[in-house]
Amino acid sequence: MAEDLRSEGGAEEGALRTGEVVKLDRGYPLVRFPDGERLRCEHATALVKGHDQRAVIGDVVAVSVPAAHDKGVIEAIAPRTREFVRKDPTERALPQVLAANFERVIVAQPVGEVNLRRLERELVLAFETGAAVTVVLTKGDLADEAATAAVREAVESLAGPATEVLVVSEADPASVEAVRRLLAPGTTTVLIGRSGVGKSSLVNMLVGTEVLEVGAVREGDGKGRHTTVSREIVAVPGAGRIVDMPGVRGLGLWDAEAGIEAAFPDVESLAEECRFRDCTHQGEPGCAVCAAVAAGALPRTRYDSYQALCREAADVRDRREQARRLNKDKAAYSKHYRKKGAGPSRGGRRR
Ligand code: GDP
Ligand code: ZN
């Protein structure tokens, strides 16, 4: 692979350096090399053309540094161990990878304003990555003990017994310590959650200094500052690394079957008792899920979100299928015309 890259020109012999994308800097990947040097990079045309491969936070990349060029060029992206994927909010049927190569996802919500529906969705996306998942309830000082206990219980029953739920507060260093213990040295943790939930504050507390500007991101507040600070992977002293993931306002499902299964273990275990193996739990005879709802054993709200997320996942799968078929038709169409030497010119083809 490296030989191919060199023969493509631009880079001098042996000029490829391996680094890691630690931040997206105004759309350009910022790559950090093992010696600590950071370099703003662009993508080699070969990567972007055709397959539209673009490096994301956490990617390990091979970079060439052409002489008399102020940016590096990403020539190759190493296969990812893990990806955080959502549906591209601007496209009908495209995935968008937000981060790569991490071991844990922390889902953050403020303890005083937990949105369980959003949490379900965040958990589906987090579980779908295959990483370890933790829920961190922030701003613990803003809720009293009884309220915190009630919220914790609700969140724990939602997240399932395998998922740890922690409450943190700026006022309580021990609570931050508990998060630090999760970040094993040599691992990377991705922090997700709405803007304003206290993610940068948490990172700053973990690192011990102000590495991220707190309250700098204002989304949809009409006027006011619209400084979008893009977040960087930072090392937590004595622990692993953490990155506060930018730009996760919309969390559309992409591949979600496994994530839904993991996020709804209660429904999944009931489903094993359904009469039909392919039961959709929508009124089929012998459906154990519907029976549990009727008996009050499975909350209807929980059942409703499960069904809504399944529908969304099925819908995105259908659209992908349609897009694939459309592309196939298009390819067949242009092949047909190329053979005949007529039809639309290549320049006129659009995606
Ligand atoms: P982010 O957008 O998720 O990174 O959120 P920030 O870290 O910027 O925090 C948003 C606001 O919540 C800021 O005004 C913080 O000072 C405040 N905040 C964060 N953590 C805590 C906390 O533990 N307690 C209280 N009372 N406020 C907090
Ligand atoms: Zn069923």
Side-chain angles (χ1 to χ4, degrees), residues 270-271 274-276 279-282 284 286-290:
L270 284 166
C274 293
R275 184 178 307 161
F276 303 113
C279 185
T280 64
H281 327 305
Q282 294 175 80
E284 289 97 328
C287 174
V289 175
C290 294

Side-chain angles (χ1 to χ4, degrees), residues 84 105-109 118 121-123 125-126 190-194 197 199 243-245 248 251:
F84 191 97
V105 178
I106 291 181
V107 178
Q109 287 215 16
R118 183 180 166 97
R121 173 178 298 273
E122 290 170 334
L123 286 171
L125 280 138
V190 162
L191 195 49
I192 68 163
R194 255 190 20 241
V197 303
K199 300 187 301 300
V243 58
D244 170 4
M245 208 158 51
V248 286
L251 287 177

